[in-house]
Amino acid sequence: MIKFLDLHKLNDKYRADFDKAFKRVLDSGWYILGKEVSDFETEFAKYCGCKHAIGVANGLDALILIIRAYKELGYFNDGDEILVPANTYIASILAISANNLVPILIEPDIFTYNIDPKLISEKITSKTKAILPVHLYGQLCNMSEVVAIAKKHNLIIIEDCAQSHGASFNGTKAGNFGDAAGFSFYPGKNLGALGDAGAITTNNDELATVIRALLNYGSEVKYKNHYKGTNSRLDELQAALLGVKLKALDDETSVRRSVANRYLKGINNSKVILPTVANEYGHVWHLFVVRVEDRSEFQRYLTDNNIQTVIHYPIPPHKQHAYKEWNHLSYPISEKIHNEVLSLPLSPVMTDDEVKKVIEVINAY
């Protein structure tokens, strides 16, 4: 079976460096908010080109804390609206709801699967305070247009970079286009920890200060709680392991692009719609997502041929029970995408023969 993502193989090549990192953490005797977290934050901020990187427990918390910090600073109030793509993973929307703000769903571009800038302006009201673009599957949104709209309407931009580590356009990397950004280091991400982990990037000193307090029980000074905070700290061990993998991220991204280019050039089947690439360096291929009208039959065929696939994502957010108040709504582009998408195996540890087999099997469908 060609695995969708062989995490053991992906991480095993770092075993020696992981062992050193683990020993360093163990020997330090300091396991929360220590040097490993500080060093990783410095390196990740430098990598993204941002002033601040703040480690948190996971990607959802990253988005929740950004919005919460803006509320504490008086930029947002309960009932304010944030524009978000209708076809995103539900975490992007949960972060808005968790702060008692209102998610306003925007249909995506059918080709890039990212938020369609042409549809943003018509959804802006007096309650709109921010846009939350999601760089879905690893491809940057059209940030030139998103930024222009935000500036025109005085809106904050919060990037969801959970799938786009290292994607860039004209020298600017994901996480540095807006006012703040949330990253996930879930194990399957392009930069994945060995457990849950996340980070926030921003160039806003005041925002960073509030976030650092909120993630640590609302405390800027130990035992003095300025906010009703939470506990969402990146731990020392995950930070140390992420520091090892960050050094290889660009090399792994190059391999991902190589595999994706082989798919794009090699797959030639009229039943299979390949992804559209807006800019080579604006896509880091977290996922290689195709569309097929009869997805169930196609997925069964691939499984029968020992190729593992995953659906990202089978149910759109507005059809989830969690948002049952939206279940009557229709977002036809999002629904079409969710009904047809299928993610093919793609990782830095795929062999040439595995890539070749995927192409051959799909072309024979």
Side-chain angles (χ1 to χ4, degrees):
M1 175 69 75
I2 297 176
K3 291 186 178 182
F4 174 72
L5 178 62
D6 191 335
L7 280 177
H8 177 269
K9 187 176 179 182
L10 184 64
N11 285 307
D12 193 55
K13 63 183 179 178
Y14 299 110
R15 183 181 293 270
D17 287 330
F18 282 169
D19 286 345
K20 292 176 185 175
F22 178 77
K23 186 177 186 302
R24 195 169 64 241
V25 173
L26 184 64
D27 290 347
S28 74
W30 191 285
Y31 309 125
I32 296 288
L33 294 182
K35 186 176 185 300
E36 298 294 343
V37 169
S38 177
D39 286 351
F40 174 72
E41 289 176 338
T42 298
E43 290 303 312
F44 192 65
K46 181 180 178 181
Y47 178 81
C48 295
C50 296
K51 192 171 182 181
H52 302 279
I54 305 161
V56 295
N58 55 68
L60 173 57
D61 280 5
L63 296 175
I64 289 175
L65 286 164
I66 292 168
I67 298 170
R68 171 74 189 283
Y70 273 121
K71 285 186 75 177
E72 293 290 351
L73 290 169
Y75 289 88
F76 301 156
N77 294 296
D78 287 359
D80 284 343
E81 298 170 351
I82 296 183
L83 309 183
V84 62
N87 65 315
T88 184
Y89 182 57
I90 199 168
S92 314
I93 296 167
L94 290 173
I96 300 169
S97 301
N99 281 287
N100 294 319
L101 272 68
V102 181
I104 301 297
L105 305 184
I106 309 290
E107 285 271 57
D109 182 297
I110 189 62
F111 298 107
T112 66
Y113 310 127
N114 282 330
I115 193 168
D116 189 341
K118 298 189 296 294
L119 303 178
I120 292 176
S121 294
E122 65 188 49
K123 294 287 188 176
I124 295 174
T125 71
S126 60
K127 299 286 285 182
T128 307
K129 294 297 186 292
I131 306 173
L132 201 160
V134 181
H135 306 307
L136 199 63
Y137 306 148
Q139 178 159 222
L140 288 178
C141 298
N142 185 338
M143 292 307 295
S144 298
E145 291 191 31
V146 172
V147 169
I149 294 168
K151 285 183 177 179
K152 180 179 178 181
H153 296 277
N154 195 29
L155 304 177
I156 287 167
I157 296 176
I158 302 168
E159 293 176 79
D160 185 335
C161 299
Q163 302 182 3
S164 60
H165 315 68
S168 66
F169 179 71
N170 285 345
T172 300
K173 279 197 171 93
N176 203 18
F177 286 94
D179 298 281
F183 286 84
S184 167
F185 303 128
Y186 178 79
K189 303 300 186 185
N190 289 26
L191 179 60
L194 269 64
D196 271 323
I200 294 163
T201 56
T202 185
N203 293 307
N204 185 321
D205 295 342
E206 188 178 29
L207 186 73
T209 298
V210 175
I211 289 170
R212 287 193 183 280
L214 287 172
L215 67 84
N216 191 31
Y217 299 100
S219 175
E220 294 180 25
V221 179
K222 194 169 185 177
Y223 302 132
K224 291 186 177 181
N225 303 84
H226 191 69
Y227 307 101
K228 296 174 184 176
T230 188
N231 176 2
S232 181
R233 300 178 297 212
L234 175 64
D235 72 73
E236 285 286 280
L237 180 57
Q238 295 299 343
L241 301 177
L242 285 165
V244 169
K245 295 182 73 175
L246 179 60
K247 295 178 176 65
L249 179 57
D250 285 344
D251 289 339
E252 290 200 349
T253 298
S254 294
V255 178
R256 287 178 178 273
R257 287 185 176 130
S258 177
V259 173
N261 285 331
R262 287 184 65 186
Y263 280 163
L264 290 170
K265 293 175 182 177
I267 296 174
N268 184 20
N269 187 319
S270 60
K271 295 181 180 179
V272 180
I273 299 173
L274 296 173
T276 298
V277 183
N279 174 272
E280 179 185 1
Y281 295 101
H283 206 321
V284 293
W285 297 104
H286 172 58
L287 299 170
F288 191 98
V289 180
V290 299
R291 287 193 0 251
V292 181
E293 284 192 9
D294 193 343
R295 177 176 64 199
S296 296
E297 179 187 336
F298 182 58
Q299 187 174 37
R300 260 193 316 270
Y301 166 78
L302 293 177
T303 300
D304 290 344
N305 282 274
N306 294 313
I307 297 171
Q308 187 182 44
T309 58
V310 179
I311 300 171
H312 296 93
Y313 302 96
I315 305 172
H318 69 282
K319 296 298 183 183
Q320 297 281 1
H321 182 73
Y323 288 99
K324 55 185 179 294
E325 67 272 21
W326 292 347
N327 288 174
H328 68 286
L329 300 176
S330 174
Y331 291 89
I333 297 175
S334 293
E335 288 161 23
K336 182 177 180 62
I337 289 170
H338 284 267
N339 287 334
E340 296 180 353
V341 290
L342 190 68
S343 301
L344 304 181
L346 190 155
S347 82
V349 292
M350 283 187 74
T351 67
D352 288 344
D353 286 344
E354 286 175 332
V355 176
K356 182 180 179 182
K357 180 180 177 180
V358 172
I359 293 170
E360 289 175 348
V361 168
I362 291 176
N363 285 342
Y365 175 64

